[in-house]
Amino acid sequence: MACVHMLSLLLRKAGLNIAATRDVTLSLPATAHRQDALVAAAVVASATDRRVIPVESGLAACVGAGLDITLNAPRVVCDLGAGVTEMAAVADGRVLTSVAARVDLDASDRHPARALPRVAPMFRRTLHALADTSVGGERPAPGALVARG
């Protein structure tokens, strides 16, 4: 109940009028287990009294970046977080592969050149995992790499 109360207070303080919407989309981190997703969706549903649609964070990042997620060629997105960095490959409206790692980036690391050595291994793992998926054998489209931070 404390989570529901806190979320309700935060929504009210932010001035968000959710009464105007039927559904709430909930972005779930790549590291979320099924039980975590169910609990998070239940909390949001209780706080908003709306239907909750859980979406994998990689898919949400692509949509937020304006990428066409329906194309066959994979799009690769990277979310550089303060404590966890996530990378995902998305095609045909679904997440093909995703990786997440604790990559503690402080304010000075937000510069791409400084973050690169820490994120490059994740990119290699994503591409390697992508090679094992079947999406018509297409490689990531040019310009499909988007970094969010």
Side-chain angles (χ1 to χ4, degrees):
M1 280 317 270
C3 289
V4 172
H5 183 67
M6 177 64 89
L7 183 56
S8 297
L9 290 174
L10 288 171
L11 290 169
R12 207 175 359 221
K13 184 168 177 95
L16 296 175
N17 180 11
I18 58 167
T21 183
R22 253 187 10 204
D23 303 326
V24 174
T25 304
L26 174 64
S27 176
L28 298 170
T31 56
H33 297 292
R34 179 163 168 68
Q35 185 63 30
D36 298 332
L38 292 173
V39 169
V43 167
V44 173
S46 292
T48 62
D49 196 29
R50 298 288 177 256
R51 183 175 74 153
V52 176
I53 302 168
V55 175
E56 291 176 83
S57 61
L59 192 61
C62 280
V63 170
L67 297 176
D68 185 350
I69 61 169
T70 64
L71 298 178
N72 196 33
R75 272 58 181 142
V76 177
V77 292
C78 180
D79 184 355
L80 299 172
V84 175
T85 295
E86 295 185 47
M87 191 168 288
V90 175
D92 292 331
R94 62 188 176 92
V95 174
L96 303 174
T97 185
S98 63
V99 295
R102 289 220 171 271
V103 181
D104 293 324
L105 300 173
D106 60 27
S108 66
D109 291 329
R110 296 290 178 152
H111 189 276
R114 292 186 185 133
L116 188 60
R118 295 179 181 179
V119 176
M122 290 180 68
F123 187 61
R124 283 192 293 276
R125 284 197 317 267
T126 301
L127 292 181
H128 179 71
L130 186 58
D132 295 338
T133 62
S134 63
V135 188
E138 292 192 40
R139 295 270 183 223
L145 178 62
V146 174
R148 294 180 348 138

